[in-house]
Amino acid sequence: MIRWREGTVLRIRREWPGAIELDVALADDVVGDGSGRCRGLAYPALVGIPEPGDTVLLNTTALAMGLGTGGYAMVVAIPNRLPKDPDGPGHLVKARYTPLQTTVLGADEQDSPHHALLRDADGLDGMPVVVADLHSALPAILCGIRVTRPDARVVYVMPDGGALPAWFSMSAAELRLRGWICGTVTVGQAFGGDVETVTLHTGLLAARHVLHADVAVVAQGPGNLGTGTRWGFSGVAAGEAVNAAAVLAGRPVAALRVSESDARERHVGVSHHSLTAYGRVALARADVVVPMLPGEFGARVTAQAQALADRHTLVHVPVDGLHEALTTSPVRLSSMGRGLAEDPACFLTSAAAGVHTAALLPHRDTAG
């Protein structure tokens, strides 16, 4: 089930918070392109800091199979230079019972300074919670929010449907550095956020009460999983996120997954992922944002979204000016390998969800 390989670090390619990208020479080039090397990715918090010349143990399974790991072999260990034992607090184990299970300090565990706050917390005070299927929706949603509310404190809540380490997301790291989000909460088996919690429910509560969010955006990390079946896709959790937000007295806002360029018919217009997650899984009512896209394609999206009208409130949002707003994103907009130029409807739809969310926020009192 795992393809193990040994390699030697040739050079450090680049770094971002929580991750280091490497060039690695392979002892066995069965996953390479004939060059005898591949790109590796190391998480220093798990394996230590790799240096040129280090021998590294790699997991090359997904790379060899051409799966969505960003083209990386994952560094499992630097066996000749193991990191020091951790000495910090925390007994919450994530990636449980795997060889790389890691211990973190959960905001909701007894040793946390936030335990008492979260023990008694039971609601979100009406906080909008934007739910999206794909990780790529995150920066586009933020672009929409910032059209009218650049002052909003937005927290990214990352469940465990895609990548487990938050460090894998260069986008989330850059958005955090630029101040577009004020923190990341990793929930379930996901880890590496500014705040860790056991469940999506305590993750939303931590976003509100620990990080003082005005808005939470819930979307899985990079690397969603789909099987071409109605129920076998990781984005089904978007429906459960609507339920969690509602049960905690938040304001669920559902961002549709829309594409005009996907080669798969089931994802053209409103994706079947959105129709299933919001139309079948979500039992609580949400504001489903329908972008007012032009032409026949826009009419198709509007007609498809109508299937959700009995269960949810459809909110039709103009997209005028949103293309320009999307060009201000500090990170590259990319979804399923397509950018803003190749599939504008995808990102305009997420931005429209952000616009509606911003309209739900109370205005700040700036009086001195």
Side-chain angles (χ1 to χ4, degrees):
M1 295 178 66
I2 298 179
R3 288 175 169 86
W4 300 100
R5 291 295 180 272
E6 186 177 278
T8 302
V9 177
L10 298 175
R11 69 182 180 102
I12 308 299
R13 295 174 59 97
R14 56 179 171 170
E15 303 180 39
W16 60 90
I20 301 176
E21 183 183 293
L22 317 165
D23 268 339
V24 180
L26 295 168
D28 180 352
D29 190 34
V30 296
V31 301
D33 57 3
S35 66
R37 63 178 62 187
C38 69
R39 285 190 303 156
L41 190 68
Y43 302 122
L46 299 184
V47 303
I49 300 175
E51 298 176 358
D54 279 338
T55 297
V56 288
L57 179 63
L58 302 169
N59 181 336
T60 62
T61 307
L63 176 60
M65 296 177 68
L67 301 179
T69 63
Y72 293 119
M74 309 305 293
V75 176
V76 179
I78 308 171
N80 297 329
R81 194 161 50 79
L82 297 174
K84 295 180 180 180
D85 290 343
D87 56 6
H91 70 272
L92 191 66
V93 180
K94 296 203 175 187
R96 291 185 285 278
Y97 303 104
T98 70
L100 284 179
Q101 64 182 2
T102 184
T103 303
V104 300
L105 177 64
D108 39 3
E109 69 169 279
Q110 287 85 346
D111 293 339
S112 167
H114 307 298
H115 179 260
L117 174 65
L118 293 178
R119 180 188 60 206
D120 297 327
D122 196 38
L124 300 175
D125 308 319
M127 178 183 72
V129 176
V130 193
V131 178
D133 178 3
L134 299 177
H135 185 70
S136 54
L138 173 61
I141 290 169
L142 295 173
C143 287
I145 292 172
R146 292 175 65 86
V147 168
T148 58
R149 293 301 302 269
D151 61 324
R153 288 182 59 84
V154 183
V155 170
Y156 170 42
V157 178
M158 184 181 126
D160 51 18
L164 295 186
W167 309 309
F168 189 75
S169 174
M170 287 184 282
S171 292
E174 185 66 18
L175 292 167
R176 179 77 168 88
L177 290 172
R178 297 291 189 96
W180 278 45
I181 57 175
C182 61
T184 295
V185 180
T186 36
V187 308
Q189 297 283 355
F191 57 90
D194 299 283
V195 175
E196 309 273 5
T197 68
V198 175
T199 68
L200 176 58
H201 297 76
T202 49
L204 290 171
L205 291 167
R208 179 62 171 175
H209 299 292
V210 175
L211 296 179
H212 309 292
D214 299 314
V215 176
V217 179
V218 180
Q220 61 187 320
N224 67 300
L225 180 62
T227 63
T229 64
R230 174 170 293 173
W231 296 103
F233 64 99
S234 54
V236 74
E240 301 290 4
V242 167
N243 296 336
V247 93
L248 292 172
R251 181 76 180 266
V253 176
L256 294 171
R257 176 175 172 178
V258 167
S259 176
E260 194 171 6
S261 304
D262 202 300
R264 299 163 295 180
E265 179 63 25
R266 65 184 183 274
H267 292 307
V268 176
V270 179
S271 167
H272 84 97
H273 284 190
S274 290
L275 297 176
T276 300
Y278 301 140
R280 302 285 298 277
V281 180
L283 303 179
R285 198 167 190 87
D287 289 354
V288 174
V289 177
V290 183
M292 297 172 66
L293 299 167
E296 292 183 6
F297 180 76
R300 172 176 178 161
V301 168
T302 298
Q304 288 173 311
Q306 192 63 32
L308 301 173
D310 289 344
R311 189 178 294 255
H312 301 291
T313 301
L314 302 187
V315 182
H316 297 270
V317 175
V319 298
D320 301 338
L322 289 187
H323 191 281
E324 291 77 11
L326 287 164
T327 64
T328 69
S329 172
V331 301
R332 183 170 63 96
L333 297 175
S334 178
S335 184
M336 312 303 291
R338 297 182 295 272
L340 180 59
E342 293 78 27
D343 200 354
C346 168
F347 303 102
L348 289 169
T349 300
S350 295
V355 167
H356 174 64
T357 301
L360 300 177
L361 295 174
H363 290 285
R364 295 193 192 281
D365 183 3
T366 58

